[in-house]
Amino acid sequence: LGKDVIREIFYDSNAGMLGQEFSVLPSGMSTCMPDGPRYIDFHPKLNVAYVVNELSCTIAVFSVDKELLSQIASATKTGGGVSMMDQFKGRSTLKLIQSIKTVPSAFPVTMNTCGRICVHPSGRFVIVSNRGHESVCVYRIKQGSSSSTKDRASRGTLTQIGFFHTRGETPRH
């Protein structure tokens, strides 16, 4: 939140430690306003991650590069150490494919912050809480088919279903 970025850091499971930072990327559409990334959640089946941006009241949807993750995993198995991992510096496993608001367009973003985001276990919905708007916003996840290139490209993107008042203040999770 403070640096307004998403950091991709290698976790060395053998040593039980965080290792080299591979990439730093903006958590949204780079509007020159703070986004404030708060939570990230991954789709259970698709190669997609969702980041709720607390300050800009948006969800950033990222495609996840599983091929690059496989290359990183293979490099760790060869035991090449830090020098082997240097080849991944500056390469991101995430690519922004969508940014979508969590509050209605008429509602002032300055009066809201986002709480938690979660992907439904079915992989069909994303839910985010709005503190200020006092709502939960629900999105349908586009599944796409494997036959159409356009459908495959839109897999994991979100379509808003609606806002549901929480009947309480500052909803969390």
Side-chain angles (χ1 to χ4, degrees), residues 16-94:
M17 297 174 53
L18 294 177
Q20 184 174 3
E21 181 178 284
F22 291 138
S23 176
V24 177
L25 63 152
S27 60
M29 297 297 278
S30 299
T31 60
C32 298
M33 300 298 291
D35 283 309
R38 183 169 177 86
Y39 290 103
I40 187 169
D41 202 359
F42 293 86
H43 193 280
K45 296 177 183 130
L46 302 176
N47 297 333
V48 179
Y50 303 93
V51 174
V52 63
N53 291 307
E54 180 177 9
L55 303 177
S56 64
C57 302
T58 58
I59 297 173
V61 181
F62 292 91
S63 64
V64 178
D65 186 342
K66 291 282 187 155
E67 177 60 34
L68 181 56
L69 286 172
S70 294
Q71 291 173 19
I72 293 168
S74 293
T76 61
K77 289 176 185 170
T78 62
V82 174
S83 61
M84 179 64 98
M85 301 312 282
D86 280 344
Q87 66 181 311
F88 303 109
K89 187 114 174 98
R91 296 175 67 189
S92 178
T93 62
L94 301 174

Side-chain angles (χ1 to χ4, degrees), residues 47-146:
N47 297 333
V48 179
Y50 303 93
V51 174
V52 63
N53 291 307
E54 180 177 9
L55 303 177
S56 64
C57 302
T58 58
I59 297 173
V61 181
F62 292 91
S63 64
V64 178
D65 186 342
K66 291 282 187 155
E67 177 60 34
L68 181 56
L69 286 172
S70 294
Q71 291 173 19
I72 293 168
S74 293
T76 61
K77 289 176 185 170
T78 62
V82 174
S83 61
M84 179 64 98
M85 301 312 282
D86 280 344
Q87 66 181 311
F88 303 109
K89 187 114 174 98
R91 296 175 67 189
S92 178
T93 62
L94 301 174
K95 177 185 173 198
L96 184 68
I97 58 173
Q98 183 187 26
S99 185
I100 189 167
K101 298 293 269 178
T102 68
V103 292
S105 57
F107 191 84
V109 172
T110 56
M111 294 178 63
N112 189 72
T113 58
C114 292
R116 184 67 189 253
I117 189 170
C118 62
V119 178
H120 189 272
S122 70
R124 296 180 58 212
F125 305 98
V126 167
I127 304 154
V128 65
S129 60
N130 288 301
R131 301 175 303 195
H133 190 252
E134 315 308 5
S135 66
V136 172
C137 188
V138 180
Y139 303 87
R140 182 177 319 283
I141 299 172
K142 292 182 186 172
Q143 302 298 311
S145 68
S146 57

